[in-house]
Amino acid sequence: MTQANRLKGGQIDRDTTLNFTFNGRNMQGHPGDTLASALLANGQRLVGRSFKYHRPRGILTAGSEEPNALVQLRTGAHLEPNTRATMAELYDGLTATSQNHRGSLEFDLMAVADLLSPFLSAGFYYKTFMWPKSFWEKVYEPAIRKSAGLGSLSMLEDPDIYDKGFLHCDLLIIGAGPAGLSAALTAGRAGARVILADEDFATGGRLNAETMDVDGMAGADWAAQVVAELNTMDNVHLMTRTTVYGAYDHGIYGALERCTDHLATSGGKPRQILWRIYSRRAVLAAGATERPIAFGNNDRPGIMLAGAVRTYVNRFGVTPGHELAVFTNNDDGWRSAADLAAKGVSVKAIIDTRDAPAVMDVPGARHIRNAAVVNTVGRKGLRSITLTDDQVIDVDCLAVSGGWSPNLHLTCHQRGRPVWDEGLCAFVPGRDLPPGMAVAGAANGAMTLATALSEGRDMANAQIKELGFKASRKAAPKAEDEPQECAAFWHVRQSKSRAWLDLQNDVTVKDVKQSYREGFRSVEHLKRYTTLGMATDQGKTANIPALAIMAECTGKSIPETGTTIFRPPYTPIPLGALGGRARGKDFRPTRLTPSHEWAKNNGATFVEVGNWLRAQWFARPGEQGWRDSVDREVVMTRRSVGICDVTTLGKIDIQGRDAAEFLNKVYANAFGKLAVGKVRYGLMLREDGICYDDGTAARLSDNHFVMTTTTANAVLVFRRLEFARQCLWPDMDVHLISTTDGWAQFAVAGPNARNLLRKIVDANHDISNEAFPFMACGEISVCGGTPARLFRISFSGELAYEVAVPARYGNAMMGVLMQAGKEFDAVPYGTEALGVMRIEKGHAAGNELNGQTTALNLGLGGMVSKKKDSIGSILSERPEMNREDAIRLVGFQPVNKADKLTAGAHFINRGDAANMANDQGWMTSVAYSPNLGHSIGLGFIKQGHTRKGEIVRAVSPIHGTEVEVEIVPAHFIDPEGERLRV
Amino acid sequence: MRYSAFKIFTQGLTGNKGWKPVWREPEPKPEYDIVIVGGGGHGLSTAYYLAKEYGLRNIAVVEKGWIGSGNVGRNTTIIRSNYLLPGNQPFYELSMKLWENLEQDFNYNAMVSQRSILNLYHSDAQRDAFVRRANGMILSGADAEIAGADQLRAELPFLDYDNARFPIKGGLFQRRGGTVRHDAVAWGYARGADSRGVDILQNCEVTGFDIENGVCRGVETSSGAIRARKVAVCVAGSSGRVMAQAGMRLPIETHVLQAFVTEGLKPVLPGVITFGAGHFYVSQSDKGGLVFGGDIDGYNSYAQRGNLPVVEDVAEGGMAIMPMIGRARLLRSWGGVMDMSMDGSPFIDKTHIDGLYFNGGWCYGGFKATPASGYCYAHLLAKDVPHPVATEMRLDRFQTGHMIDEKGQGNQPNLH
Amino acid sequence: MIINHPLLGPRDAAEFVYLGDACLIDRPDWQAEDAAGKFHEYGYLRDNPAGLHQELWYHEQGDRSWLVVTRDTLTHAISKVELARDVARARGRGS
């Protein structure tokens, strides 16, 4: 196929030909083309189908406001649905397919919807599909879902990578059209750090699409010259293919740079980069968007915005048709006619809604004044138009201009409201701009080239002056003020056929009128009821004409009827880019314990505990499953000795004259009198009296404590302690530092724990039971002088120590401990064995300390001292938290020892029906105890402390199980705690 | 006007010119039995149930903007009753049952779509908590199902099972959960209330309460004073501002929650999926957009807009759990203001001022509660005693220590 | 958002953790008459203003200072940033 619609000129590289396919058909284009311009060059007018009625659609615009020409780009895992052909840069090998049709694009079976359109008017679905009741989910909804939607996802993992970055500047300029370039030149020359960003791959904005001169040269040439100068400035960062999509607080802007979308493959480089731009000031110079006029069957392929037609002709050297007409309510539409005629394209008529003389001379074109287009013919491509006076003109392209609306979207991102400008027939930015932002050029309603250039300069000067830079006195570039008169004209009343407003979502003038009739009269109701402006183009071309028609219905002015404001993003942003590198294994950072390497080499299976990876168990050859390993680790620890890396527990170093008093404040139990060289268990409450965390505090000297926290709360407890220190008791002499990562810590537990440690603790430290009894602590050395800390504390209930060494020795320490333990058959144990042993001992952990339970519930009520001020003590006394029938933590064992217990089972008294009214509590944690040879559990049950020996049912309807259990003390092993003290 | 397929047919043949306003635009009367402050989902459903269940019709709903302009107009549309605590679960289950019969009840298709909700779990502790919750749900008459990783792999093959930072171990399904067309809920209730005589007064802002000697006798509005025997405030998101006019401080902070929708896509997701290890929940609307959200921004705000860190955090959660959505594009984002309460649960209660009632504190879970909230508030307003499923939703529960803290986060609103 | 840290200069709000109303500094005396009522009010009731709000932010990814930030909840504009310790002392808190 030849490029039959190519004209001379344009900013394309004709020396290079790019091959691409559309729906499998081979076509050619050139560098500098978009997919849309290349499709038009190849005479492809039908490009897609609309959302609701599946109407044939072509290309309406030449920019990011495109509602119609959406395609699926690329194939396989690279498939990119809903891609605007007008924004997709052409590359060799590009593959595009049309979307949202069943059967071929030309013969879409779903187009039957168009025939049924009288019954599918605004909101029809709210009024039907209700009978019979079950049919909604089974029949109607699936059918609606399938016919709705637009493009498809590949369902494969996105194969590209995305980056994120941060940029800082004095002045961010959004848009590299005439106003933006003028602003950048001004600020750049003044020495300000400037970022100039534009969504297009070419700089120059409308200058590329126009035939106007600046400073005596062609606009595009002037733009190229400015860019060349800007590129010589180190303080100016020019970013093309970069959409500034959102204005956030305090001068932070979100921007998306498309790095490789214009290439056949990303070549391993990031496809896109999501930038956060920190600006001191900003100039929005985003230009304006042309509006269509609504008339009968105004949605046909071949009906385009006049400015877009001009863009295709001038910038891309493509004519969208061979016999054209222009339909306009303003002077600007005439320029499209003039430019077409200048390129030798036949312009048959200029239909102007105004009863006014010709704006300019257009050779060969009839000027039909005070007229309008009422209807069109040509289902898959425009063939003719019919005017208000019934005359029919055969054309294959109609260029429509309903005036231009400033692209003020970013001015609304902080809830700023635009104001109506009667002369422009458009909303312009209001006064409540995001702080630091100024608006210049067409985005500010300065619609002529000369005013855009001067406003760009003036706004940049004003902005940098506030930052202390010297304003430039150099005059703005010179250009002519082209005619820009516009008369309000929104839709052709005489049209009897449907007249489209929102082309993608198929919202017509009739829908707006029906919306009014049914009471959906506020702009937001209108949008929600009709789906106006909810499509991928977010109503960039549709909203204002629709608002005007609603105003007509209500008899009020447009500003009285309402405004629409805009929220981020300006154009849609791929989720992959927003997610960046935080996916897969890199979703969150991974923290490794000091002995990770040792564990990996010794058969460990790891488990995620918050951001940590911890050894869960260490499988040995011949073991059939995890239970074998865990049972062995538990049995061997209780029989001889086991070693576990407990580094993940939070460690907080607390020093200062008031350290003890500080601990008194933050722990519910008393710490003031803890002797040096001793450790105490501590219970921490939230201020609301609920248990927050538990751990230990070891007193290494009068003014020096080491606190441990649970793994999960390490960061949170530290934060709370800092709050207490800085905000509640600012004059206390106490200092905190987190040392969680500084010390590797190992539990050495079991009857042989001391024997093992004796082999590595340096001989000058006496760790005999007498010298170093249960709950002792001290600073020692190991392995011939390595500094260490030793704590005689036990989570397992065995004779146990925790030994800490500087983290860099952690991996070696694990090896040393295991080596020393060889003669005792020492085992490493993981979190599972740790869990089994703590359940055997009735220690509360995360499942019990779940943020909902009190000390009373946990059986620790006695620990909350009433004799001192501590966080949570007052509110813990509230009556509902101290009810007689409160739940209590107790142990459970199956009546039939072979029964397995289930965490999450609820307790129901014997004889009661199993329902929530009879709920007695729930099982929090269960384990198989290899020492007892049966399943055991911990759980909360009402008044559990008075019910020892009672048998209740543990029901788990989710599993369909029910087990009789006996309420027992929570200490299954060594209830007297003798083993700890030997 | 009763809606039906036949009506659509006959209207279609006559150019759709015979449709009538879905609600009237009446002038305010000087006095009503009950004035409901707030024309959002909860206010409108309260009016509807007062009229329908209790025959009270001399009622006005006053709304400062357009009805449904609050959080019922912008949310992620999820309905579910998968709550843990006895203070909540029966209430949300009542709501679910009302959803299930809503369309036939008010003759408006709000597209209640019970396509299921799934909460993923990633650890044994999370599984244990979900099992406890699931059992509680079943024991109170709701439905629940625990699925292992294998079952999920078969049902939802597009989740990341093999390379996830937090591997998917399974999930809690509530098959009756799903989504609803949120705006239609407000419109359906408005229509049902209006047709029973309730006056819906849009663009009528309450500027003060008429309180004398501890008795509330009406409201001051931008359209003049309106007297009422009972004033029922129902303005979640703005509760702090409105109740300050009655001199009340509340156990509520106002925060911003962002929500997001992508461009339309052919069907991808069967139901609602919630990824708890990240901050991400998602469903697909009937139009094809992926509707998703995450955590609140985390700072007090009435600005109705959020910031980038949360946008990116939510997208990271999405990409982590279903990396096939990378090429779907975020189309719109919005920020709503939420009443974040001190325990994450709401209030439906009388105040210490006679004749002044309060409904609020819905955090970011108020949408699913819309029917039950209105139903129970109507019960309280009509009978002056709480509905049996809403007895714990009291304003004084922090004084007594009877918190309803599903997440166990305590008195820090931005953590709920 | 950007918080102008009194010691470190402007920092991205993402480096901070938010707690809530700076009234949390004013923890009641545990031995006060009606301590229960006062702690209830302290723990649970908030002004929640639509406008200027003094609030606590913690520079967790930084120097671990708690700050009192005065910020408008309608516009997010920040008008003042102080060290919480200074504010606490000014409000009469000691040890």
Side-chain angles (χ1 to χ4, degrees):
Chain A
M1 189 168 167
T2 59
Q3 298 177 47
N5 290 348
R6 279 289 177 201
L7 303 171
K8 287 206 164 43
Q11 301 169 26
I12 52 168
D13 172 12
R14 287 164 202 268
D15 296 338
T16 309
T17 297
L18 304 175
N19 290 290
F20 71 103
T21 68
F22 177 69
N23 283 347
R25 285 168 61 197
N26 292 314
M27 300 185 185
Q28 282 83 42
H30 300 291
D33 265 326
T34 61
L35 175 59
S37 67
L39 286 168
L40 289 172
N42 285 274
Q44 181 72 39
R45 292 205 286 172
L46 175 60
V47 177
R49 292 275 172 171
S50 68
F51 179 82
K52 184 173 168 189
Y53 299 139
H54 290 255
R55 297 265 294 188
R57 290 292 163 76
I59 294 163
L60 180 76
T61 75
S64 60
E65 70 272 31
E66 177 61 33
N68 277 345
L70 305 183
V71 299
Q72 302 193 143
L73 207 62
R74 303 178 193 259
T75 57
H78 291 89
L79 185 76
E80 216 180 295
N82 304 335
T83 303
R84 296 153 164 78
T86 50
M87 292 301 284
E89 245 172 284
L90 198 67
Y91 56 84
D92 197 48
L94 179 148
T95 311
T97 52
S98 55
Q99 57 184 32
N100 200 34
H101 48 82
R102 207 170 299 166
S104 70
L105 172 63
E106 284 74 20
F107 301 98
D108 178 6
L109 298 173
M110 295 303 292
V112 65
D114 198 28
L115 301 174
L116 297 174
S117 65
F119 315 110
L120 307 179
S121 68
F124 76 97
Y125 30 76
Y126 300 126
K127 299 166 183 161
T128 183
F129 301 133
M130 289 179 270
W131 312 270
K133 188 178 155 185
S134 64
F135 268 41
W136 170 248
E137 270 133 344
K138 291 198 184 116
V139 180
Y140 305 128
E141 191 185 35
I144 289 173
R145 288 173 78 82
K146 251 195 238 169
S147 62
L150 291 165
S152 303
L153 289 178
S154 69
M155 302 304 280
L156 302 170
E157 174 166 356
D158 188 337
D160 276 317
I161 52 173
Y162 299 87
D163 255 339
K164 290 185 183 176
F166 299 82
L167 294 171
H168 298 258
C169 62
D170 294 318
L171 186 66
L172 168 65
I173 300 167
I174 302 158
L181 287 173
S182 172
L185 208 51
T186 305
R189 284 173 178 164
R193 286 182 309 157
V194 173
I195 292 175
L196 173 63
D198 197 292
E199 64 177 352
D200 202 336
F201 56 89
T203 44
R206 283 299 303 175
L207 289 173
N208 295 319
E210 307 290 0
T211 50
M212 292 183 291
D213 288 351
V214 181
D215 276 350
M217 65 184 98
D221 293 341
W222 176 82
Q225 182 185 302
V226 172
V227 167
E229 180 176 347
L230 293 175
N231 279 333
T232 66
M233 299 181 190
D234 290 340
N235 55 323
V236 176
H237 183 180
L238 180 58
M239 304 175 81
T240 53
R241 302 186 177 98
T242 302
T243 305
V244 177
Y245 64 81
Y248 296 90
D249 279 317
H250 306 162
I252 300 173
Y253 289 79
L256 179 76
E257 182 178 7
R258 292 171 293 276
C259 308
T260 67
D261 280 357
H262 60 296
L263 304 174
T265 72
S266 55
K269 297 210 171 70
R271 179 190 167 209
Q272 300 176 335
I273 301 176
L274 194 78
W275 296 104
R276 266 193 231 172
I277 301 176
Y278 294 71
S279 71
R280 297 172 71 196
R281 292 288 190 280
V283 170
L284 178 68
T289 298
E290 198 169 16
R291 300 181 298 250
I293 297 172
F295 53 89
N297 291 305
N298 61 333
D299 65 328
R300 304 209 188 278
I303 300 176
M304 301 172 69
L305 290 173
V309 169
R310 206 152 78 224
T311 304
Y312 288 114
V313 169
N314 292 331
R315 173 172 170 184
F316 297 106
V318 172
T319 181
H322 296 283
E323 296 195 300
L324 289 93
V326 171
F327 176 31
T328 185
N329 68 347
N330 64 76
D331 295 350
D332 192 71
W334 283 76
R335 301 222 329 272
S336 296
D339 286 1
L340 282 160
K343 292 260 181 181
V345 181
S346 158
V347 180
K348 295 176 97 173
I350 298 164
I351 302 124
D352 197 322
T353 60
R354 302 170 297 180
D355 192 7
V359 175
M360 56 189 78
D361 181 42
V362 180
R366 279 200 292 149
H367 175 205
I368 306 172
R369 57 164 81 180
N370 197 16
V373 178
V374 285
N375 206 351
T376 69
V377 174
R379 188 167 164 76
K380 289 172 195 168
L382 183 67
R383 292 205 305 273
S384 70
I385 56 175
T386 308
L387 306 193
T388 31
D389 63 1
D390 289 338
Q391 67 169 305
V392 176
I393 306 174
D394 289 340
V395 291
D396 58 2
C397 178
L398 177 67
V400 182
S401 181
W404 292 75
S405 299
N407 289 333
L408 47 73
H409 303 70
L410 268 69
T411 68
C412 301
H413 283 185
Q414 294 179 23
R415 317 265 325 152
R417 293 205 160 267
V419 295
W420 184 252
D421 183 316
E422 200 66 49
L424 282 177
C425 309
F427 283 103
V428 296
R431 289 186 176 183
D432 44 1
L433 299 176
M437 182 192 281
V439 194
N444 200 32
M447 291 298 186
T448 69
L449 180 55
T451 53
L453 292 165
S454 63
E455 248 194 38
R457 168 190 175 274
D458 296 348
M459 291 296 179
N461 264 338
Q463 291 284 53
I464 61 172
K465 240 171 103 176
E466 285 182 34
L467 299 177
F469 292 93
K470 207 166 161 229
S472 160
R473 297 222 179 137
K474 206 165 170 189
K478 286 192 180 48
E480 298 220 349
D481 269 326
E482 66 276 22
Q484 283 293 341
E485 291 296 309
C486 176
F489 189 95
W490 308 104
H491 71 118
V492 180
R493 284 188 188 76
Q494 295 90 328
S495 290
K496 296 213 167 56
S497 305
R498 280 171 297 164
W500 268 260
L501 293 161
D502 185 321
L503 283 112
Q504 192 178 130
N505 272 354
D506 284 321
V507 181
T508 66
V509 173
K510 284 181 185 174
D511 291 317
V512 175
K513 289 181 175 171
Q514 185 188 332
S515 179
Y516 170 78
R517 215 170 283 134
E518 295 196 72
F520 296 96
R521 293 167 191 178
S522 90
V523 181
E524 288 296 330
H525 279 151
L526 168 68
K527 286 166 69 176
R528 286 147 194 272
Y529 193 59
T530 63
T531 74
L532 172 89
M534 302 290 199
T536 63
D537 59 307
Q538 301 188 70
K540 287 194 174 70
T541 56
N543 282 353
I544 290 168
L547 180 61
I549 291 161
M550 179 57 83
E552 217 172 274
C553 294
T554 57
K556 293 184 196 162
S557 71
I558 289 174
E560 280 171 340
T561 304
T563 56
T564 56
I565 69 166
F566 304 91
R567 289 185 289 263
Y570 175 64
T571 53
I573 308 292
L575 295 182
L578 290 167
R581 303 248 180 186
R583 50 192 272 207
K585 294 285 186 210
D586 296 330
F587 170 52
R588 291 287 183 260
T590 302
R591 299 175 78 181
L592 302 180
T593 63
S595 66
H596 186 83
E597 201 55 34
W598 186 93
K600 210 168 73 182
N601 295 334
N602 285 275
T605 294
F606 293 98
V607 64
E608 295 75 16
V609 181
N611 284 342
W612 291 98
L613 276 188
R614 294 188 72 179
Q616 198 171 12
W617 62 79
F618 296 82
R620 287 211 177 148
E623 289 177 338
Q624 298 301 309
W626 68 272
R627 261 282 304 282
D628 286 358
S629 309
V630 174
D631 286 358
R632 172 182 49 75
E633 290 169 17
V634 170
V635 167
M636 286 307 295
T637 299
R638 294 217 186 278
R639 187 182 299 163
S640 180
V641 62
I643 296 158
C644 183
D645 188 331
V646 294
T647 304
T648 63
L649 294 177
K651 304 178 208 71
I652 300 170
D653 207 70
I654 302 172
Q655 300 195 39
R657 283 192 306 279
D658 298 319
E661 182 49 26
F662 182 72
L663 289 181
N664 250 344
K665 298 280 194 197
V666 298
Y667 277 128
N669 50 320
F671 268 82
K673 291 182 183 147
L674 181 65
V676 172
K678 287 288 184 187
V679 189
R680 185 170 288 171
Y681 175 79
L683 178 67
M684 210 174 270
L685 306 183
R686 294 190 307 233
E687 192 67 272
D688 67 354
I690 300 287
C691 288
Y692 185 56
D693 199 66
D694 67 347
T696 60
R699 191 166 202 168
L700 296 180
S701 72
D702 264 357
N703 297 339
H704 186 189
F705 291 80
V706 174
M707 174 189 282
T708 65
T709 74
T710 60
T711 300
N713 286 336
V715 172
L716 305 176
V717 167
F718 188 78
R719 187 188 301 164
R720 275 165 196 261
L721 296 191
E722 283 290 0
F723 174 75
R725 185 179 82 91
Q726 296 177 41
C727 300
L728 300 182
W729 296 288
D731 288 343
M732 271 196 185
D733 181 45
V734 57
H735 300 270
L736 310 172
I737 189 163
S738 168
T739 58
T740 304
D741 295 308
W743 293 87
Q745 194 151 320
F746 300 92
V748 181
N752 279 317
R754 186 183 300 119
N755 296 333
L756 188 158
L757 280 173
R758 272 192 170 132
K759 295 175 66 179
I760 63 157
V761 172
D762 291 343
N764 54 328
H765 303 291
D766 183 357
I767 60 167
S768 67
N769 197 34
E770 296 68 36
F772 203 83
F774 181 54
M775 297 308 252
C777 67
E779 291 178 289
I780 59 162
S781 60
V782 297
C783 304
T786 303
R789 288 169 175 175
L790 191 65
F791 310 90
R792 192 166 160 194
I793 52 181
S794 176
F795 200 48
S796 58
E798 297 298 326
L799 165 66
Y801 300 80
E802 287 185 12
V803 58
V805 291
R808 62 185 181 278
Y809 300 126
N811 203 49
M813 186 67 181
M814 188 68 190
V816 166
L817 285 167
M818 287 305 298
Q819 187 63 36
K822 232 173 192 172
E823 62 177 287
F824 310 110
D825 293 326
V827 292
Y829 65 93
T831 54
E832 287 295 326
L834 186 83
V836 171
M837 288 191 277
R838 73 103 186 159
I839 294 171
E840 287 179 333
K841 287 300 292 179
H843 292 311
N847 282 13
E848 291 78 30
L849 282 162
N850 65 356
Q852 298 165 326
T853 48
T854 62
L856 182 88
N857 298 144
L858 290 161
L860 303 173
M863 286 187 74
V864 182
S865 168
K866 306 290 178 200
K867 295 193 199 119
K868 60 160 188 156
D869 179 19
S870 68
I871 288 174
S873 70
I874 297 290
L875 288 176
S876 75
E877 291 173 26
R878 286 176 288 173
E880 287 288 320
M881 296 162 75
N882 292 280
R883 289 168 62 109
E884 195 61 14
D885 63 352
I887 53 169
R888 305 286 188 136
L889 184 67
V890 288
F892 295 88
Q893 62 184 20
V895 172
N896 174 359
K897 293 290 189 295
D899 284 342
K900 202 170 155 272
L901 301 183
T902 305
H906 285 243
F907 300 121
I908 303 286
N909 289 340
R910 281 171 142 179
D912 280 355
N915 59 42
M916 277 313 272
N918 294 325
D919 188 37
Q920 294 287 303
W922 74 100
M923 192 87 81
T924 54
S925 300
V926 302
Y928 174 80
S929 167
N931 297 297
L932 299 173
H934 60 81
S935 197
I936 58 173
L938 300 177
F940 289 110
I941 190 166
K942 286 180 181 171
Q943 290 173 291
H945 60 306
T946 65
R947 296 171 69 174
K948 304 277 159 68
E950 191 182 323
I951 290 168
V952 295
R953 295 143 61 204
V955 303
S956 187
I958 199 89
H959 301 107
T961 59
E962 176 169 336
V963 174
E964 283 201 322
V965 292
E966 183 188 348
I967 301 174
V968 295
H971 309 287
F972 292 92
I973 300 268
D974 184 29
E976 307 304 322
E978 288 164 1
R979 296 188 192 182
L980 312 161
R981 299 170 203 278
V982 294
Chain B
M1 182 186 284
R2 190 170 168 77
Y3 291 153
S4 66
F6 181 70
K7 193 91 199 168
I8 287 178
F9 181 69
T10 54
Q11 283 290 333
L13 292 180
T14 55
N16 286 303
K17 289 193 173 143
W19 297 112
K20 296 280 181 301
V22 177
W23 56 85
R24 297 166 293 129
E25 291 184 0
E27 287 300 311
K29 291 190 267 185
E31 181 164 7
Y32 292 92
D33 290 341
I34 299 174
V35 165
I36 296 167
V37 182
H42 291 216
L44 293 166
S45 77
T46 303
Y48 174 79
Y49 290 116
L50 276 170
K52 179 165 173 284
E53 301 295 325
Y54 301 99
L56 296 168
R57 294 173 179 209
N58 187 25
I59 294 171
V61 177
V62 295
E63 163 57 47
K64 75 171 174 183
W66 37 279
I67 60 167
S69 56
N71 293 327
V72 75
R74 44 179 79 85
N75 63 72
T76 44
T77 80
I78 297 165
I79 60 167
R80 58 185 175 88
S81 65
N82 55 0
Y83 279 76
L84 172 69
L85 299 175
N88 275 330
Q89 212 288 327
F91 172 86
Y92 287 99
E93 180 56 22
L94 169 67
S95 211
M96 185 62 88
K97 292 202 167 74
L98 291 168
W99 283 121
E100 286 172 330
N101 294 297
L102 188 64
E103 287 141 354
Q104 286 68 31
D105 190 67
F106 65 20
N107 178 232
Y108 202 77
N109 188 358
M111 303 181 197
V112 176
S113 178
Q114 295 178 286
R115 301 196 307 276
S116 85
I117 180 165
L118 169 68
N119 288 57
L120 295 170
Y121 61 76
H122 310 269
S123 71
D124 291 352
Q126 281 179 336
R127 179 203 58 209
D128 294 349
F130 278 158
V131 168
R132 174 193 172 198
R133 178 190 301 214
N135 280 329
M137 289 163 66
I138 293 175
L139 291 175
S140 40
D143 68 303
E145 191 184 313
I146 294 281
D150 289 343
Q151 184 188 334
L152 293 182
R153 204 184 269 266
E155 247 185 85
L156 306 165
F158 50 82
L159 300 181
D160 188 351
Y161 297 93
D162 300 318
N163 189 39
R165 173 70 181 81
F166 300 105
I168 297 169
K169 299 266 178 75
L172 165 62
F173 268 116
Q174 184 179 31
R175 299 282 181 186
R176 285 160 67 240
T179 60
V180 181
R181 171 75 185 101
H182 55 100
D183 289 316
V185 175
W187 303 336
Y189 277 124
R191 178 168 170 267
D194 175 87
S195 69
R196 287 171 174 84
V198 172
D199 282 356
I200 295 170
L201 309 173
Q202 297 190 94
N203 301 309
C204 178
E205 182 174 3
V206 167
T207 54
F209 294 94
D210 176 7
I211 298 169
E212 249 179 74
N213 303 323
V215 182
C216 182
R217 301 183 189 283
V219 290
E220 308 290 335
T221 76
S222 53
S223 313
I226 302 175
R227 274 176 299 149
R229 289 198 299 112
K230 293 179 179 176
V231 174
V233 175
C234 200
V235 293
S238 299
S239 293
R241 270 196 280 198
V242 172
M243 295 309 279
Q245 294 171 3
M248 285 180 70
R249 293 174 88 216
L250 299 173
I252 287 173
E253 287 179 4
T254 299
H255 284 257
V256 62
L257 175 75
Q258 300 188 69
F260 312 92
V261 63
T262 68
E263 298 176 339
L265 298 161
K266 291 295 176 201
V268 176
L269 302 181
V272 184
I273 298 171
T274 301
F275 172 42
H279 309 288
F280 181 72
Y281 42 89
V282 64
S283 66
Q284 189 171 17
S285 76
D286 284 348
K287 279 192 68 192
L290 304 181
V291 182
F292 62 100
D295 272 355
I296 55 175
D297 268 40
Y299 43 80
N300 287 48
S301 175
Y302 286 90
Q304 288 189 283
R305 59 187 174 80
N307 274 296
L308 274 175
V310 166
V311 182
E312 295 182 24
D313 182 64
V314 172
E316 287 171 6
M319 286 301 290
I321 203 69
M322 45 180 82
M324 58 90 178
I325 60 174
R327 302 177 100 81
R329 298 190 195 91
L330 171 70
L331 175 63
R332 280 197 307 277
S333 66
W334 61 96
V337 289
M338 311 286 140
D339 273 9
M340 297 302 297
S341 75
M342 284 287 170
D343 60 358
S345 293
F347 308 95
I348 302 176
D349 202 359
K350 300 179 188 180
T351 68
H352 68 282
I353 299 164
D354 270 357
L356 181 62
Y357 296 73
F358 179 71
N359 174 321
W362 293 97
C363 298
Y364 54 96
F367 176 69
K368 71 181 86 66
T370 305
S373 171
Y375 199 87
C376 294
Y377 204 18
H379 185 282
L380 177 70
L381 286 162
K383 300 191 163 186
D384 269 322
V385 290
H387 187 279
V389 299
T391 54
E392 296 187 22
M393 295 174 177
R394 297 169 62 107
L395 272 166
D396 68 356
R397 64 177 181 262
F398 303 116
Q399 263 162 317
T400 62
H402 191 93
M403 285 77 77
I404 317 173
D405 187 350
E406 290 273 335
K407 283 194 181 172
Q409 295 288 3
N411 56 334
Q412 196 182 327
N414 65 346
L415 299 182
H416 290 293
Chain C
M1 291 197 286
I2 294 171
I3 294 172
N4 194 3
H5 190 302
L7 305 177
L8 302 174
R11 315 294 306 184
D12 193 295
E15 295 176 5
F16 295 80
V17 172
Y18 181 81
L19 179 64
D21 193 318
C23 71
L24 286 167
I25 289 173
D26 307 316
R27 187 172 180 271
D29 177 0
W30 69 295
Q31 289 172 313
E33 210 174 308
D34 188 29
K38 289 197 164 77
F39 267 89
H40 164 255
E41 200 169 319
Y42 166 74
Y44 291 103
L45 299 185
R46 299 288 178 265
D47 288 341
N48 192 24
L52 287 187
H53 187 231
Q54 286 199 312
E55 57 200 24
L56 287 158
W57 293 77
Y58 174 56
H59 199 199
E60 187 149 273
Q61 313 290 324
D63 75 339
R64 298 180 276 131
S65 287
W66 277 92
L67 305 180
V68 173
V69 175
T70 306
R71 192 178 54 95
D72 190 319
T73 60
L74 286 165
T75 63
H76 298 169
I78 292 174
S79 48
K80 197 173 183 186
V81 184
E82 302 157 276
L83 290 175
R85 169 172 268 164
D86 295 343
V87 174
R89 283 180 176 140
R91 292 185 186 182
R93 299 202 69 86
S95 54

